[in-house]
Amino acid sequence: MKIYELNASEIHKGLRHKDFSAREVAQAHLYRIEQTDKDLKAFVTVTTEQALRAADAVDAKMSRGEELHPLSGIPVAVKDNMCTTGVKTTCSSKMLESFVPPYTATVVNKLEQAGAVVLGKTNLDEFAMGSSTENSAFFTTRNPYDLERVPGGSSGGSAVAVAAGQAVIALGSDTGGSIRQPAAFCGIVGVKPTYSLVSRYGLVAFASSLDQVGPFARTVSDAAWALEALAGHDPLDSTSVPNAPVDWSQPLDKGIRGLKVGVPREYFADGMEPAVVKSVREAIKVFECLGAEISEISLPHTSYALPTYYIIAPAEASSNLARFDGVRYGFRAEGATNQEELISLSRSQGFGPEVKRRIMLGTYALSNGYYDAYYGKAQKVRSLIKQDFDNAFSQVDIILSPTSPTTAFKVGARVNDPLSMYMADLCTFAVNLAGIPALSLNCGFVEGLPVGLQLMGKAFSEMMLLQAAFAYEQTVKLPQLPVFKGGLPNV
Ligand code: GLN
């Protein structure tokens, strides 16, 4: 087995047994990036020197006989909307193309403190707005299962880095599906934690009442280690919760006998690709064989999730993105003769079309006379969506659905049709609106492309979701690490 094929627990074991050093692990992954990223384009910045320095620090620690954290020496990739001191943080936008933050996001700090080795920053849809990574101002990331297809988004670069063996774990952010949907398209595990479980300090804000940071990994157990390291109160983020009731000491292999599983009929309706629905239904049968009790449930306000999200998210985005004015930091247009012109030119040249669309939608929804009709009403519908989940979780422990209505689509197929792009997250928006946790894991392939199964739970039920996902993963044992179509070397 090659080093880049190993998961975090195997690397941890190998380091302790001195099968290889942390430097060798970092080098193997950096080499893998060098070999594959010309085609995949997952990374915006690769931090080779910092990575080797971090790996050397882990080796030094080991030679002093110190205990290793399970993430020590594990190569990780970070979505480029999380701040890193001294390393560019671009949000894949011309607006921040040369922005070097003076501070580091808490999530990155936490991984570094555990000894993880940050390899670089990954591509995304500009400011995390999109579902395919095609809205990046720099380049489109490609799906390792088929280079002509998108990896999903907005955290497409992070998903691809993990799926293709460039990194073992990666960080993404999920506002309406941006961790789970690319995880589904790339055949890996992606977790959107309960709102407030993970600090958002240093995450460039998109929609503050929806954004959460979470991990990607190829196995459920790696995702669990990463999530445990990321979770926890942060005094620098006033929305992070103190003493979250998640019991990390529970075993992953607890089993799911007697687990009550709800299957919401609204997620199996028209518009879903039949082969995707079939794969998900088969996965549900596996849960049943493992002793779960399956029942059909209803989440009646599901069809309002997309329109509600597309009022609330753009409204919050329009307010968050007001700070990019060409005055304090970021892109500044040339040739302005007064302040108003400076702001207007900088914003029109610095932002791409999707970001502008969101700012206009959001500004309209918040404007005088329309606030109650749009933002106010959307907040009311949001409460109804949350109530649907509250009612469901009084009957069942977890809810299963497809993660996305389709498998990965072709590059270019949806870029000129925003609504069809928005539909890619049809199954994921409601979770963010309700603030609950959810994860996606691979449940099979349709014509060689991965299908994602979504597991949703009540607030702070991350352990239960991970245990259920683990039981499924261990039973089904699907292949990982694609042999890339398009002639990419499997070095
Ligand atoms: N695709 C959704 C959007 O474009 C969700 C993005 C996200 O979760 N960051 O807004």
Side-chain angles (χ1 to χ4, degrees):
M1 224 171 174
K2 305 206 173 66
I3 288 183
Y4 76 79
E5 294 175 328
L6 302 175
N7 59 39
S9 45
E10 290 162 340
I11 292 177
H12 182 63
K13 210 186 287 163
L15 287 172
R16 283 181 26 215
H17 293 170
K18 306 217 173 345
D19 298 338
F20 38 69
S21 64
R23 175 172 264 262
E24 283 167 334
V25 172
Q27 280 170 332
H29 286 85
L30 289 165
Y31 181 63
R32 177 80 177 155
I33 294 171
E34 209 182 292
Q35 292 292 304
T36 58
D37 217 45
K38 286 187 294 299
D39 297 282
L40 294 172
K41 298 182 183 306
F43 283 83
V44 174
T45 306
V46 179
T47 51
T48 306
E49 271 158 40
Q50 279 108 315
L52 292 175
R53 238 182 292 137
D56 287 345
V58 173
D59 286 330
K61 213 172 158 189
M62 262 196 314
S63 61
R64 292 194 298 268
E66 291 175 35
E67 268 296 300
L68 284 191
H69 185 281
L71 295 181
S72 287
I74 304 301
V76 301
V78 176
K79 185 176 181 179
D80 208 17
N81 62 350
M82 299 176 208
C83 289
T84 39
T85 310
V87 176
K88 271 194 298 187
T89 297
T90 67
C91 289
S92 290
S93 176
K94 190 173 173 198
M95 187 56 96
L96 291 177
E97 194 166 8
S98 35
F99 173 60
V100 179
Y103 67 104
T104 296
T106 297
V107 280
V108 178
N109 258 331
K110 284 190 164 202
L111 291 184
E112 285 179 339
Q113 268 157 24
V117 172
V118 176
L119 301 174
K121 308 291 294 290
T122 58
N123 197 26
L124 60 146
D125 286 297
E126 185 176 3
F127 283 100
M129 297 174 190
S131 309
S132 66
T133 321
E134 291 165 292
N135 293 342
S136 164
F138 308 143
F139 42 78
T140 296
T141 301
R142 301 288 170 143
N143 191 310
Y145 281 89
D146 181 348
L147 296 177
E148 283 175 21
R149 289 177 188 268
V150 302
S154 63
S155 318
S158 281
V160 169
V162 169
Q166 298 175 325
V168 179
I169 284 165
L171 294 184
S173 64
D174 190 315
T175 305
S178 281
I179 294 175
R180 289 159 288 156
Q181 185 258 19
F185 280 12
C186 294
I188 58 172
V189 181
V191 189
K192 196 296 269 186
T194 306
Y195 184 78
S196 79
L197 182 68
V198 175
S199 166
R200 295 183 298 124
Y201 176 76
L203 168 72
V204 178
F206 165 8
S208 305
S209 76
L210 301 161
D211 300 339
Q212 263 295 283
V213 174
F216 290 100
R218 290 192 296 273
T219 68
V220 174
S221 124
D222 283 7
W225 278 116
L227 184 59
E228 182 177 349
L230 295 172
H233 180 237
D234 178 9
L236 299 172
D237 174 0
S238 60
T239 64
S240 92
V241 72
N243 308 318
V246 182
D247 180 3
W248 299 106
S249 68
Q250 279 193 32
L252 264 188
D253 60 358
K254 187 163 168 245
I256 56 167
R257 189 150 293 285
L259 190 78
K260 294 199 184 75
V261 172
V263 179
R265 73 176 71 98
E266 292 80 2
Y267 283 74
F268 294 81
D270 291 350
M272 310 292 288
E273 200 174 283
V276 167
V277 169
K278 187 163 167 270
S279 286
V280 171
R281 292 239 182 251
E282 277 162 18
I284 294 169
K285 279 203 202 103
V286 174
F287 278 77
E288 193 167 16
C289 292
L290 291 171
E293 292 164 23
I294 316 287
S295 60
E296 190 180 83
I297 60 161
S298 173
L299 297 166
H301 297 92
T302 297
S303 63
Y304 300 110
L306 188 150
T308 305
Y309 174 87
Y310 275 102
I311 298 291
I312 292 175
E316 294 181 9
S318 74
S319 148
N320 276 325
L321 269 59
R323 72 192 67 175
F324 301 106
D325 53 10
V327 177
R328 283 160 297 186
Y329 52 81
F331 175 76
R332 176 186 293 220
E334 309 259 321
T337 53
N338 59 49
Q339 194 193 357
E340 198 181 318
E341 210 175 67
L342 173 72
I343 294 176
S344 153
L345 285 177
S346 299
R347 285 171 71 82
S348 32
Q349 293 168 21
F351 290 135
E354 184 60 29
V355 176
K356 286 182 189 159
R357 181 178 295 122
R358 306 283 177 111
I359 291 172
M360 284 189 277
L361 281 172
T363 306
Y364 182 80
L366 291 178
S367 56
N368 196 8
Y370 294 99
Y371 185 95
D372 287 338
Y374 291 102
Y375 193 72
K377 193 158 186 183
Q379 290 291 20
K380 287 185 187 147
V381 181
R382 181 178 189 170
S383 302
L384 295 175
I385 290 169
K386 183 170 180 306
Q387 246 171 47
D388 278 359
F389 283 110
D390 290 345
N391 291 340
F393 289 126
S394 67
Q395 303 159 41
V396 298
D397 302 312
I398 67 168
I399 297 174
L400 297 183
S401 79
T403 305
S404 184
T406 67
T407 53
F409 44 88
K410 287 247 165 87
V411 171
R414 300 193 188 190
V415 265
N416 296 320
D417 181 355
L419 197 57
S420 85
M421 188 68 88
Y422 297 172
M423 300 290 265
D425 296 300
L426 204 58
C427 307
T428 48
F429 295 126
V431 160
N432 300 73
L433 291 166
I436 58 175
L439 68 76
S440 179
L441 95 158
N442 189 22
C443 70
F445 298 86
V446 170
E447 291 169 12
L449 298 170
V451 177
L453 170 71
Q454 179 171 231
L455 286 70
M456 305 172 246
K458 58 166 95 88
F460 304 113
S461 69
E462 275 80 357
M463 248 355 261
M464 190 191 281
L465 295 180
L466 289 162
Q467 285 161 342
F470 185 80
Y472 176 83
E473 174 196 59
Q474 297 301 306
T475 310
V476 177
K477 292 203 189 310
L478 290 165
Q480 293 176 345
L481 287 166
V483 177
F484 305 141
K485 268 195 215 164
L488 209 62
N490 242 16
V491 285

